[in-house]
Amino acid sequence: HREILDAESQPIRNYLNNNVAEILADGLAELCRTQPEDPVDALAEYLFRNSPTSSNYLYTLPIIFVA
C-alpha cells in the first residue's frame, strides 16, 4: 500500500515542492524574525505579497538597471 500511495502522491509532492515550499519557508522565517501579534494573518499577508501569481509580486521584485 505504501508504494501505491507514494506513486499517487508524487504529482502533489512535486507541485508543493515547486510552488509552495520555498515561499512558505520564507514566510515562516519572517514570522520568526518579526513575531507578529497575529501570525496567521501576517503569514497570509506575506504569502499574498510575495506570491509569483499575485499582481503585487511585481512590486516586490528588485529593480535592476542596466547601463
Side-chain angles (χ1 to χ4, degrees), residues 5-59:
L5 179 60
D6 285 346
E8 290 183 357
S9 67
Q10 190 62 45
I12 295 168
R13 287 185 289 154
N14 288 342
Y15 172 80
L16 292 173
N17 283 333
N18 294 332
N19 298 290
V20 178
E22 183 177 355
I23 191 171
L24 182 57
D26 291 345
L28 293 172
E30 181 69 16
L31 288 183
C32 291
R33 279 192 293 275
T34 60
Q35 299 183 359
E37 190 172 309
D38 185 350
V40 173
D41 187 55
L43 180 59
E45 288 291 327
Y46 179 89
L47 294 173
F48 178 74
R49 281 192 323 270
N50 295 285
S51 169
T53 59
S54 169
S55 60
N56 288 338
Y57 179 72
L58 296 175
Y59 300 110

